[in-house]
Amino acid sequence: MSFQHVAGAAYRALTARKDGVSLYDLCDPLLRHAPGGDPHLAKFYRTALGNPPLRALLCRTGLKELSEAPRLQRLRGALIAARDDETPDWAAIGQPVAELLDTIDLKHPKPAPAPAPARGPELAEIEAVIRTCGAHLLRSFGNNGFIPTYAAFNLIGDADLRGREFLMALTGLNSRGYKNSTLLFNLARIFIARSPARALINPPWRGIAEPMWEPMQIRHRSAYYDAFFTEALLSFMETGLASPDQAAASRRAVSEMVEFCLSTSREEVRAQDGSPFSVITALAPLPHPRFSRFFAQIKQDLGFGIYVPDCDTTACAFSAATQAGSDDPILEQPLLDFYAGYQVRGGANEPLVTVPLNDNIDYEGGVVTWIDNFAGERPFGNDLDPTLNLDILEVSFRNLVRWKIIETPQRLDTVQRIIGFQKKLAASGAFCDPRAHIYYLPELYCAYFGRCYAAYLALPLAARRAIDPDGAFDFIRERVLAYVQGVLITGEMNAFDAALALIALGHLGADVATFTPALHCIVAHAGEGGRRGPFKAYEWNKMKTPTRILVGGPEVTSAFVLMGLALARKAMLREA
């Protein structure tokens, strides 16, 4: 985004002619100096929406229809009920906001077709970028004592979250604080999307993964990220391109990150049958997430005080530790016994999914996201994400023998039900629909399917036949390859998109000639990150509630690029 775009968008927002009731006309009398009721709602309003920078951008933006007294009073009545009622009727409170949400127009990016490059970069250029990315990760670990990731709010929200989905979230979430933040963020989305400030808050970008340009980025550490960075450094060492000092530093970093995953982030919970189980929480208690004091307080003020473990972080942490050769006793736990209690089975336990934002897919066989903590809390309700279920399959394949999966009918059934869930997703074509995904892009699903497929192919033939007698994996592979080759790499990409394409193509055994557009994109954009790293920060994963919260960072892009290029290099050397 150019300086001219920023300056022009800011000028238009600050000088717009007001026409109608603004967000602050609506909310200030009720929440700026709230006389009573739920104190969190007012605190959230003042912190997240009533702060001076956002107020300056939105104070001249009005909704003309709220000039009609009945509509304004209905909306104010909803806010008063959210503030004052001991047990609010969230469906009724959300209805007037949902109706306004359906007036905004948001779309997913649709990259323009891109001409195919005449040739790909030379092997030496690819290896130079791999070395640069590996050095960036190690330098970051050395400077910080961990490899950071960043979270950033995009207040315009997600294109898939409209009035209907907003009501799903408002009624399906469990924490009142999380309901409050979802209510107010989505109210603000309406004013932002219908104002000149939209061009500043949500500027256009190249490719699919959203750049994280927002100035307010929250640096933090999580076991989920450490597991991912562990895989990236293992990939760097496997290339043989790391110097002896870099290889030694990588081994130390991997050891420390595995320890952070399995020990620091370990949490005791109860399985659905009441038996104790050790899982991995995405956000360990303070001070381990490494928030600044400022952001730690804001996190608390915004209603994110309780964070529970999740199935994805647990699977990825176990997988990374397995790949790193850990012998921690926690890995002896057969995760599939635990996941079976969170697996959707034929309508009987579909209430497990309380926030069905992606109800365009069939949940049968899928495992939900969030794990009840020991106290039984689940503030986010529960949802079901397809990519998370790929991670469960991948860790199961890596621990097939250790967990005696083929020898244990219940565990094998759990795996095969997840495979059936994925096959239905591929057969319907929903895997490439953004609405089918909760936390990830369809393009990231494709890359993670490649990662899962590689773990599957590493199994003995007899094991593969026992796990997948109907050939579901090869069926899904064909569908994913068709999407990556026919859609993703034929359009304009940014470096993150290109890395995802390479990971999918490399793991799925695509022809090396198909790597060219992605390789060209990455090498051409090397250096775009300036002082922060070789590449910019892009969207890795996201939350759709309470608003669109992106997670990524320059180090994340370096790690994805490194892994994608390492796979491409390996295939190129094999063909040489």
Side-chain angles (χ1 to χ4, degrees):
M1 181 176 56
S2 67
F3 172 78
Q4 289 84 353
H5 179 100
V6 172
Y11 175 80
R12 286 187 291 274
L14 295 171
T15 59
R17 185 177 68 85
K18 185 178 175 184
D19 185 13
V21 174
S22 74
L23 176 67
Y24 305 106
D25 295 333
L26 170 66
C27 295
D28 276 359
L30 308 178
L31 300 176
R32 194 172 191 183
H33 303 290
D38 178 21
H40 172 260
L41 189 72
K43 179 182 283 188
F44 182 89
Y45 172 70
R46 292 191 298 268
T47 304
L49 304 184
N51 61 79
L54 190 61
R55 187 178 284 271
L57 286 176
L58 293 182
C59 68
R60 302 178 68 82
T61 294
L63 300 186
K64 195 169 185 177
E65 58 263 53
L66 294 185
S67 299
E68 301 170 14
R71 297 195 70 170
L72 179 62
Q73 291 307 315
R74 185 171 172 233
L75 198 51
R76 281 185 169 159
L79 292 174
I80 291 169
R83 184 192 68 189
D84 295 347
D85 290 0
E86 187 173 340
T87 55
D89 180 347
W90 291 102
I93 288 168
Q95 191 59 47
V97 179
E99 292 168 7
L100 287 171
L101 268 178
D102 285 334
T103 68
I104 67 176
D105 179 29
L106 296 177
K107 292 183 173 64
H108 292 287
K110 292 189 179 299
R119 65 174 189 84
E122 300 293 335
L123 187 62
E125 295 176 276
I126 293 169
E127 292 180 340
V129 177
I130 292 174
R131 289 191 179 97
T132 299
C133 290
H136 177 218
L137 296 179
L138 292 173
R139 184 171 64 252
S140 183
F141 189 91
N143 291 341
N144 298 291
F146 71 107
I147 302 178
T149 305
Y150 300 82
F153 290 85
N154 184 336
L155 296 180
I156 204 166
D158 195 274
D160 291 318
L161 207 142
R162 298 182 61 77
R164 175 176 174 270
E165 291 76 25
F166 162 68
L167 290 175
M168 287 178 180
L170 206 58
T171 55
L173 298 165
N174 290 335
S175 160
R176 181 161 185 171
Y178 210 63
K179 291 173 184 279
N180 287 342
S181 56
T182 299
L183 173 67
L184 290 184
F185 266 140
N186 279 277
L187 181 61
R189 288 179 65 205
I190 301 159
F191 290 88
I192 293 167
R194 292 175 56 179
S195 79
R198 172 181 179 147
L200 184 64
I201 290 172
N202 193 56
W205 66 86
R206 177 189 179 92
I208 295 168
E210 182 174 343
M212 294 174 61
W213 68 272
E214 292 86 347
M216 294 290 280
Q217 294 187 9
I218 305 172
R219 190 186 77 161
H220 60 297
R221 183 181 193 181
S222 161
Y224 181 78
Y225 313 145
D226 273 30
F228 168 74
F229 289 127
T230 292
E231 290 194 22
L233 289 180
L234 290 173
S235 178
F236 184 40
M237 288 189 282
E238 186 183 335
T239 65
L241 297 175
S243 70
D245 286 348
Q246 288 176 325
S250 295
R251 286 190 290 271
R252 288 193 299 271
V254 163
S255 177
E256 290 183 34
M257 289 190 289
V258 169
E259 174 71 13
F260 181 83
C261 288
L262 300 189
S263 297
T264 306
S265 302
R266 179 172 177 159
E267 185 169 343
E268 301 303 315
V269 298
R270 293 193 185 278
Q272 295 296 297
D273 63 4
S275 59
F277 219 94
S278 296
V279 296
I280 311 301
T281 188
L283 212 57
L286 293 173
H288 300 296
R290 304 291 288 266
F291 291 116
S292 70
R293 185 176 300 176
F294 173 71
F295 280 123
Q297 185 58 52
I298 284 184
K299 174 178 173 290
Q300 194 74 25
D301 290 346
L302 295 186
F304 307 129
I306 299 174
Y307 214 91
V308 293
D310 65 275
C311 293
D312 208 5
T313 299
T314 302
C316 290
F318 275 47
S319 175
T322 301
Q323 293 176 66
S326 172
D327 59 359
D328 192 299
I330 194 175
L331 299 176
E332 298 301 325
Q333 298 177 119
L335 277 181
L336 288 168
D337 291 354
F338 181 80
Y339 287 146
Y342 284 90
Q343 186 173 43
V344 175
R345 292 179 173 266
N349 65 346
E350 284 199 18
L352 274 175
V353 184
T354 66
V355 189
L357 301 182
N358 56 345
D359 63 354
N360 59 319
I361 66 174
D362 183 353
Y363 297 139
E364 157 62 27
V367 175
V368 296
T369 303
W370 299 104
I371 298 170
D372 297 6
N373 65 15
F374 200 81
E377 295 169 306
R378 194 196 303 153
F380 312 122
N382 228 323
D383 48 51
L384 195 153
D385 186 87
T387 308
L388 176 158
N389 280 264
L390 291 176
D391 291 335
I392 294 173
L393 291 177
E394 192 266 352
V395 72
S396 299
F397 298 153
R398 292 194 182 277
N399 290 278
L400 191 80
V401 174
R402 188 196 308 239
W403 296 344
K404 296 181 171 58
I405 291 173
I406 292 178
E407 299 87 343
T408 310
Q410 180 184 346
R411 294 171 194 165
L412 182 59
D413 178 66
T414 300
V415 166
Q416 289 178 334
R417 294 174 79 89
I418 298 173
I419 293 171
F421 164 74
Q422 300 291 356
K423 185 177 181 181
K424 286 180 291 183
L425 193 75
S428 68
F431 77 94
C432 54
D433 179 357
R435 186 170 169 253
H437 301 270
I438 299 291
Y439 300 107
Y440 303 95
L441 294 165
E443 293 71 24
L444 193 131
Y445 174 90
C446 294
Y448 275 38
F449 175 75
R451 172 177 172 268
C452 181
Y453 186 78
Y456 169 76
L457 280 189
L459 298 174
L461 180 59
R464 298 203 302 267
R465 286 175 174 166
I467 291 167
D468 182 23
D470 300 325
F473 265 93
D474 288 334
F475 174 82
I476 301 170
R477 173 186 177 272
E478 290 179 6
R479 296 298 181 98
V480 169
L481 270 180
Y483 177 72
V484 174
Q485 294 174 334
V487 179
L488 176 54
I489 64 174
T490 63
E492 290 183 339
M493 293 183 286
N494 56 47
F496 199 86
D497 302 337
L500 297 180
L502 285 179
I503 291 171
L505 295 170
H507 277 315
L508 297 179
D511 191 309
V512 169
T514 64
F515 298 176
T516 299
L519 290 172
H520 177 80
C521 175
I522 287 172
V523 172
H525 287 87
E528 68 176 14
R531 292 179 297 174
R532 296 191 66 190
F535 297 95
K536 294 178 181 178
Y538 294 93
E539 166 192 357
W540 171 18
N541 55 67
K542 62 180 177 290
M543 300 284 284
K544 292 185 176 183
T545 60
T547 189
R548 185 169 167 82
I549 305 174
L550 305 180
V551 175
E555 289 86 355
V556 171
T557 309
S558 286
F560 270 100
V561 166
L562 189 160
M563 291 191 291
L565 292 181
L567 286 167
R569 174 180 179 269
K570 187 175 183 179
M572 293 165 71
L573 290 174
R574 206 164 42 232
E575 286 203 357

